[in-house]
């Protein structure tokens, strides 16, 4: 695994690059109903200044420095005169202040004591390690240096103010440079407009005869004016100067800016949003019904984002008593009373009937901090990396693209739908602002906070308090990520099977986000690796072939995850069954999509509990040697792995190309593309039949976007019954929540009617697969031979 990696450009639609290009294939891949029936077998304060979170004005105390159980706690607030005298210099402190204050003689000067060089050096060294010492640390340091704890406290406050001022001065210089550049461009465009001439006769351009170039310049000029106004407003907050408005064209002479500006998704310019609808979708759902913010809303959004950034930093860095460790020492829980005391501002009290879910997790991932920021601020990359969690996401408007050519100060209004891979758990829709800020060299923070107060909705069931991550640069291309998730949600719609997992906070919590990020960083590192060992049989060493196959598998996983949840874009229908074994089905039409076979696609999914550890279920389902025990369509044939690509340090994380050698010599062999992946919060085994000719093109580095896929597979989650929520690595008494899902082409004509017979056949297929899995894992279930097997009599050959 390489020491460090770089993410592709932010405007790339996929994590893996594309190579080559091929046209459509004559043979469509995917599981079709005709193939099943021809085969034989059994069964998501207004004074705060923009882009300056945590700004400490002179005479204010930082909330994080307020002592809890110290001698200084006897003084609730330091008087302004004492504080000013204490902050005259980073290395001066007042002696005998109280005595001097009582002296009635106004001409007597106050005496000051300058710290020794040794004291300054010691405090400088300690500041590098811990700029926010607590009461215990300040007392220890004052004892070592022979100072009063209050002197140490003031010195650290002064030092932090000095560092903050330096950062502000640097950013101010960058803003001025940017402003000057934009002003120069503006003047150049104005001069060009004033000297415009007719391209035909060379004379001055008359009104109403605007050339194409001039029209383009006018549009560009309008955009630059808005950019200048925005940068000037930001600069005014730093330097205290009034905003300068530059006279350009009259706004009435320029067409209104299209909403597409807010869909740019950062610097790439590609349309933002993913997964809005796979096969047409629903046009009137909540995500698409929300419009961008109004001009009156924008100042409120900016203030809310800056306050949220300050809260996120505190939530990520503070310990006890804000975060309390559980008795077993495995997790931390939020002290809600301390949270309210520490962060009195926010988005208001918790709504009635809502539950609070708060969690914090830390991990070191194999990706540099710049690339991580790009992923989080590009909605397409974010949705791709977290496809198991993010069902759909859109950027409604970009309020700021950042300064100095990066995402520092970037502000985006977004909507997202978050999911658990099961139709039994309702998705969580959020309307929020995402704010990115750099906090010193190599440290970034990205925060989300709900904007539901701007768009009240009676159907809103989830709102995000300040949530996000703090990213710190580490050597060799690694990054330390501290993830905080804090939401309030009405989870009464969750099925009883998943209530324990959801209520524990592990279904949507920080642990799941950071485990997914860690696994995806490993996946990308493996995709970019060049030192591939050639000793193992079946390992794909062709770099172009590896990238194409991984990109195809990535699309397969995204398609599976988008089609298995209870998204509002889906309309599930429950078929026969009882309780948790109900099978949910839905139909979609596939038209003009080279990545899917055309026609009517029937999706079927069911979730159930197994008294078996998630690790055991995952190993059983991913192993090609045990595939014939549950896969009806392999029809007893021998399954052989032809090629594979490792996806991480866990041997179970890989992409495989499987071949089913039919026991009947008259039947053709079948190829199956499979990706198996697992982390501490869940696992997937996803597969799809693929065309042999198409896979040969992909393995040679061809374009995988034209390979038709209809993925099926399994999502495995811990049942949450253990004290810490369970995990995939557990081998104890915890059970598993298994979701089985199929996508089947029931008719190649998109306008055809869906027959009840097709639905019944798919229902039997998924029921038979469930029974086989239960039997193979020895959970006391037997095949219903008089029912399911009888319905599969006469099923013939399956092949491509």
């Amino acid at each position: 695994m390489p020491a460090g990696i770089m993410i592709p450009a932010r405007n790339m639609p996929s994590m893996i690059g594309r190579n080559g290009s091929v046209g459509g294939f004559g043979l469509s891949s995917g599981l079709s109903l005709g193939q099943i029936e021809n085969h034989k077998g059994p069964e998501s304060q207004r004074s705060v200044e923009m882009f300056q979170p945590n700004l400490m004005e002179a005479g204010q105390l930082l909330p994080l420095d307020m002592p809890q159980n110290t001698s200084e706690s006897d003084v609730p607030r330091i008087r302004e005169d004492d504080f000013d005298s204490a902050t005259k210099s980073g290395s001066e402190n007042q002696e005998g202040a109280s005595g001097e204050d009582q002296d009635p003689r106004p001409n007597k000067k106050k005496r000051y004591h300058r710290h020794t060089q040794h004291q300054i050096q010691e405090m400088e060294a300690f500041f590098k390690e811990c700029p926010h010492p607590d009461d215990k640390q300040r007392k220890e340091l004052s004892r070592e240096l022979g100072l009063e704890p209050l002197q140490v406290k003031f010195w650290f406050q002064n030092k932090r103010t000095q560092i903050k001022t330096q950062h502000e001065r640097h950013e101010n210089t960058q803003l001025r440079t940017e402003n000057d550049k934009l002003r120069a461009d503006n003047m150049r465009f104005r001069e060009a407009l004033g000297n415009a001439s007719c391209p035909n006769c060379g004379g001055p351009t008359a009104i109403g005869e605007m050339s194409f170039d001039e029209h383009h310049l006018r549009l560009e000029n309008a955009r630059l004016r808005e950019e200048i106004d925005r940068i000037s407003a930001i600069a005014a907050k730093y330097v205290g100067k009034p905003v300068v408005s530059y006279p350009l064209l009259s706004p009435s002479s320029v067409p209104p800016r299209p909403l597409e500006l807010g869909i740019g998704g950062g610097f790439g310019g590609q349309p933002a949003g993913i997964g809005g609808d796979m096969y047409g979708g629903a046009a009137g759902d909540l995500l698409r019904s929300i419009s961008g913010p109004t001009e009156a809303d924008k100042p409120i959004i900016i203030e809310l984002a800056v306050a949220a950034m300050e809260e996120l930093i505190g939530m990520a860095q503070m310990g006890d008593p804000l975060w309390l460790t559980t008795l077993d020492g495995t997790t931390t829980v939020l002290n809600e009373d301390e949270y309210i005391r520490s962060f009195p501002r926010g988005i208001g009290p918790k709504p009635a009937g809502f539950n609070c879910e708060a969690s914090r997790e830390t991990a070191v991932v194999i990706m540099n901090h710049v690339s991580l920021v790009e992923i989080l601020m590009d909605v397409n990359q974010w949705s791709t990396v977290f496809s198991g969690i993010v069902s759909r996401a859109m950027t409604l408007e970009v309020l700021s693209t950042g300064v100095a050519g990066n995402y520092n100060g970037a502000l985006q209004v977004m909507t997202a739908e978050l999911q658990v891979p099961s139709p039994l758990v309702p998705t969580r829709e959020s309307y929020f602002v995402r704010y990115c800020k750099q906090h010193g060299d190599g440290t970034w923070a990205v925060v989300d906070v709900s904007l539901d107060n701007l768009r009240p909705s009676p159907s809103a069931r989830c709102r995000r308090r300040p949530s996000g991550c703090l990213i710190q640069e580490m050597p060799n291309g690694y990054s330390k990520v501290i993830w905080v998730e804090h939401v309030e949600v009405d989870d009464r719609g969750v099925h009883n099977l998943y209530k324990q997992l959801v209520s524990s906070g592990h279904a949507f919590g920080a642990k799941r986000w950071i485990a997914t990020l860690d696994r995806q960083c490993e996946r990308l590192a493996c995709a970019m690796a060049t030192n591939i060992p050639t000793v193992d049989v079946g390992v794909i060493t062709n770099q172009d072939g590896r990238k194409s196959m991984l990109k195809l598998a990535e699309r397969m996983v995204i398609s599976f995850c988008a089609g298995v949840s209870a998204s509002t874009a889906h309309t599930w229908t429950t078929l026969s069954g009882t309780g948790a074994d109900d099978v949910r089905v839905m139909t979609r039409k596939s038209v003009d999509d080279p990545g899917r076979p055309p026609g009517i696609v029937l999706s079927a999914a069911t979730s159930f509990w197994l008294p078996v550890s998630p690790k055991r279920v995952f190993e059983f389902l991913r192993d090609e040697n045990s595939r014939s025990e549950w896969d009806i369509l392999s029809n007893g044939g021998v399954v052989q792995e032809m090629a594979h690509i490792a996806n991480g340090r866990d041997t179970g994380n890989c992409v495989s190309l499987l071949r089913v050698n039919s026991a009947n010599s008259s039947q053709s062999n079948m190829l199956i593309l499979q990706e198996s992946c697992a982390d501490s919060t869940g696992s997937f085994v996803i597969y799809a039949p693929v065309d042999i000719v198409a896979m040969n093109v992909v393995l040679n580095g061809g374009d995988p976007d034209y390979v038709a896929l209809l993925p099926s597979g399994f999502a495995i989650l811990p049942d949450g019954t253990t004290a810490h929520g369970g995990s995939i690595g557990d081998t104890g008494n915890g059970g598993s929540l298994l979701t089985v899902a199929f996508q089947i082409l029931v008719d190649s004509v998109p306008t055809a009617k869906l027959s009840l017979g097709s639905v019944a056949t798919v229902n039997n297929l998924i029921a038979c697969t469930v029974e086989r899995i239960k039997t193979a894992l020895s959970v006391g279930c037997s095949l219903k031979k008089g029912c399911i097997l009888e319905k599969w009599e006469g099923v013939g050959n399956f092949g491509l």
Side-chain angles (χ1 to χ4, degrees):
M1 187 175 298
I5 61 172
M6 289 296 292
I7 278 287
R10 57 173 68 95
N11 63 343
M12 292 183 63
S14 172
M15 296 279 292
I16 302 172
R18 165 184 310 182
N19 292 299
S21 176
V22 297
F25 296 100
L27 294 175
S28 66
S29 298
L31 191 57
S32 69
L33 188 66
Q35 293 164 340
I36 295 176
E37 294 177 345
N38 289 325
H39 132 33
K40 189 170 185 176
E43 333 130 293
S44 164
Q45 307 162 352
R46 291 179 175 267
S47 61
V48 181
E49 294 188 353
M50 180 181 180
F51 306 113
Q52 283 186 277
N54 303 321
L55 187 62
M56 184 181 76
E57 303 290 348
Q60 292 180 338
L61 294 180
L62 292 176
L64 294 181
D65 291 328
M66 289 299 293
Q68 301 295 328
N69 298 304
T70 70
S71 58
E72 299 132 291
S73 63
D74 299 332
V75 186
R77 184 180 297 273
I78 299 178
R79 298 179 305 172
E80 292 293 333
D81 54 349
D82 290 339
F83 183 81
D84 291 339
S85 63
T87 56
K88 285 182 179 293
S89 169
S91 59
E92 292 185 3
N93 276 285
Q94 181 179 348
E95 283 187 347
S98 59
E100 297 296 341
D101 289 343
Q102 297 170 1
D103 198 319
R105 291 173 296 177
N107 295 329
K108 183 174 181 180
K109 295 183 178 179
K110 297 181 180 180
R111 293 181 293 112
Y112 292 90
H113 167 71
R114 182 177 297 277
H115 298 319
T116 66
Q117 191 66 27
H118 171 72
Q119 290 171 336
I120 295 175
Q121 289 176 351
E122 289 297 317
M123 287 190 289
E124 289 276 7
F126 194 91
F127 183 87
K128 292 180 180 179
E129 298 294 330
C130 179
H132 291 272
D134 56 23
D135 182 60
K136 183 179 179 181
Q137 290 171 317
R138 289 198 298 268
K139 284 185 177 181
E140 183 67 24
L141 193 57
S142 65
R143 188 164 48 251
E144 293 177 359
L145 300 179
L147 298 172
E148 291 296 326
L150 204 57
Q151 289 180 294
V152 175
K153 177 179 179 178
F154 286 157
W155 188 93
F156 273 86
Q157 284 182 335
N158 295 339
K159 186 65 176 178
R160 288 193 296 269
T161 304
Q162 182 184 18
I163 296 298
K164 191 180 297 291
T165 302
Q166 292 174 354
H167 287 316
E168 292 168 359
R169 187 177 297 116
H170 176 68
E171 290 185 354
N172 182 29
T173 301
Q174 289 181 325
L175 287 168
R176 290 193 179 196
T177 303
E178 188 80 11
N179 199 10
D180 291 342
K181 180 181 177 182
L182 289 171
R183 185 184 303 180
D185 289 342
N186 167 42
M187 298 303 295
R188 180 167 54 85
F189 281 122
R190 288 181 61 193
E191 187 175 329
L193 284 173
N195 298 329
S197 59
C198 176
N200 296 324
C201 65
T205 304
I207 299 177
E209 299 178 0
M210 187 184 301
S211 67
F212 175 81
D213 290 339
E214 183 175 350
H215 179 68
H216 177 73
L217 287 174
R218 287 176 179 265
L219 293 177
E220 183 70 5
N221 210 10
R223 186 190 68 80
L224 287 171
R225 176 175 182 170
E226 291 192 7
E227 190 76 354
I228 290 172
D229 292 342
R230 182 184 65 81
I231 296 295
S232 299
I234 298 173
K237 289 184 177 292
Y238 281 99
V239 300
K241 294 182 179 180
V243 178
V244 179
S245 180
Y246 299 98
L248 299 178
L249 294 174
S250 171
S252 60
S253 65
V254 181
R257 294 178 67 192
L259 187 60
E260 295 153 35
L261 177 72
I263 310 180
F267 301 100
Q270 65 183 29
I274 185 171
D277 41 47
M278 291 176 59
Y279 300 94
D285 60 89
L286 179 61
L287 290 187
R288 294 195 179 277
S289 65
I290 299 178
S291 59
T294 64
E295 290 298 322
D297 292 335
K298 291 179 181 180
I300 302 175
I301 293 174
I302 292 170
E303 293 172 9
L304 185 61
V306 174
M309 177 64 72
E310 182 178 356
E311 180 174 320
L312 175 69
I313 298 299
M315 292 279 284
Q317 295 180 342
M318 296 170 69
D320 191 11
L322 182 65
W323 293 96
L324 304 177
T325 305
T326 56
L327 294 178
D328 58 4
T330 57
T331 56
T332 57
V333 294
L334 180 68
N335 183 339
E336 293 193 44
D337 294 335
E338 183 64 27
Y339 169 77
I340 295 173
R341 284 193 295 268
S342 300
F343 307 104
R345 295 182 301 159
I347 58 176
K350 181 172 63 177
F354 279 44
N355 296 324
C356 175
E357 294 180 8
S359 55
R360 182 177 67 178
E361 291 289 334
T362 303
V364 176
V365 300
I366 182 170
M367 183 176 291
N368 66 67
H369 62 293
V370 176
S371 299
L372 285 175
V373 170
E374 290 182 356
I375 289 177
L376 296 173
M377 298 306 295
D378 185 313
V379 69
N380 290 305
Q381 293 193 48
W382 179 60
S383 301
T384 299
V385 169
F386 297 101
S387 59
I389 306 176
V390 181
S391 174
R392 295 179 296 162
M394 289 190 300
T395 300
L396 297 178
E397 184 161 357
V398 178
L399 301 183
S400 172
T401 58
V403 296
N406 57 35
Y407 283 108
N408 183 24
L411 203 63
Q412 304 174 1
V413 177
M414 304 173 63
T415 60
E417 184 180 51
L418 308 183
Q419 65 178 358
V420 167
S422 170
L424 302 183
V425 182
T427 55
R428 297 181 175 182
E429 298 168 333
S430 295
Y431 172 54
F432 59 95
V433 60
R434 176 165 294 178
Y435 177 37
C436 177
K437 180 69 176 174
Q438 184 178 9
H439 298 269
D441 293 337
T443 302
W444 292 74
V446 179
V447 65
D448 298 342
V449 63
S450 281
L451 300 176
D452 297 315
N453 292 339
L454 300 179
R455 298 286 190 276
S457 172
S459 61
R461 294 183 293 105
C462 174
R463 67 174 189 169
R464 292 173 68 79
R465 286 193 175 272
S467 304
C469 61
L470 190 63
I471 305 170
Q472 299 175 357
E473 180 184 13
M474 295 187 69
N476 300 322
Y478 284 77
S479 298
K480 178 183 178 182
V481 181
I482 305 175
W483 200 290
V484 176
E485 277 294 307
H486 191 188
V487 300
E488 294 166 341
V489 62
D490 178 5
D491 56 9
R492 286 173 290 187
V494 178
H495 193 281
N496 289 334
L497 262 181
Y498 285 84
K499 275 198 177 296
Q500 182 68 34
L501 181 65
V502 173
S503 63
S504 68
H506 290 85
F508 294 93
K511 185 176 182 180
R512 187 172 174 220
W513 285 95
I514 209 162
T516 302
L517 177 63
D518 187 24
R519 173 169 52 80
Q520 290 284 37
C521 289
E522 285 189 4
R523 188 183 197 277
L524 184 61
C526 292
M528 301 182 68
T530 56
N531 53 340
I532 309 301
T534 58
V535 293
D536 295 337
V537 178
V539 175
I540 301 176
T541 58
N542 178 7
Q543 189 71 12
D544 292 337
R546 287 171 58 87
K547 289 185 177 181
S548 294
M549 186 168 171
L550 284 172
K551 184 179 179 183
L552 180 61
E554 177 184 86
R555 177 161 63 87
M556 177 179 69
V557 172
I558 293 174
S559 177
F560 174 84
C561 293
V564 74
S565 71
S567 171
T568 55
H570 306 159
T571 302
W572 290 98
T573 302
T574 304
L575 298 181
S576 61
T578 57
D581 291 329
D582 288 343
V583 176
R584 315 291 176 97
V585 298
M586 63 178 170
T587 58
R588 311 176 193 179
K589 293 181 180 180
S590 175
V591 181
D592 297 330
D593 187 346
R596 298 182 183 91
I600 298 180
V601 177
L602 182 63
S603 298
T606 188
S607 298
F608 58 97
W609 178 78
L610 286 172
V612 183
S613 70
K615 182 176 178 62
R616 182 183 169 194
V617 177
F618 173 69
E619 293 294 341
F620 169 74
L621 294 174
R622 79 169 188 88
D623 189 356
E624 69 272 13
N625 297 319
S626 59
R627 189 181 189 95
S628 59
E629 297 184 42
W630 59 265
D631 189 0
I632 309 283
L633 303 176
S634 64
N635 198 20
V638 178
V639 181
Q640 177 186 4
E641 184 183 71
M642 298 180 60
H644 76 271
I645 303 174
N647 260 353
R649 54 178 176 264
D650 192 323
T651 56
N653 291 0
C654 65
V655 175
S656 305
L657 187 61
L658 308 177
R659 182 174 64 189
V660 180
N661 299 312
S662 175
N664 189 340
S665 59
S666 63
Q667 296 179 355
S668 60
N669 294 335
M670 175 176 60
L671 286 184
I672 296 176
L673 177 67
Q674 174 177 293
E675 173 157 358
S676 57
C677 54
D679 55 50
S680 60
T681 62
S683 60
F684 295 92
V685 178
I686 303 170
Y687 62 92
V690 289
D691 182 76
I692 296 178
V693 176
M695 281 309 301
N696 283 331
V697 174
V698 171
L699 292 175
N700 288 322
D703 188 353
D705 287 347
Y706 293 90
V707 179
L709 289 176
L710 282 180
S712 302
F714 309 92
I716 310 159
L717 297 174
D719 60 7
T721 55
T722 57
H724 55 284
S727 70
I728 290 301
D730 291 341
T731 56
N733 298 326
S736 304
L737 297 172
L738 179 62
T739 297
V740 184
F742 289 102
Q743 293 187 48
I744 300 171
L745 184 69
V746 296
D747 200 305
S748 59
V749 180
T751 58
K753 299 292 184 180
L754 180 66
S755 67
L756 293 178
S758 300
V759 176
T761 302
V762 174
N763 186 30
N764 287 334
L765 170 63
I766 200 169
C768 185
T769 302
V770 169
E771 292 295 337
R772 280 177 168 245
I773 292 173
K774 290 180 177 179
T775 302
L777 291 173
S778 302
V779 295
C781 298
S782 59
L783 285 172
K784 302 176 183 178
K785 296 183 180 179
C787 176
I788 297 180
L789 290 182
E790 181 178 341
K791 293 183 180 182
W792 288 91
E793 279 299 319
V795 176
N797 177 35
F798 176 87
L800 293 175

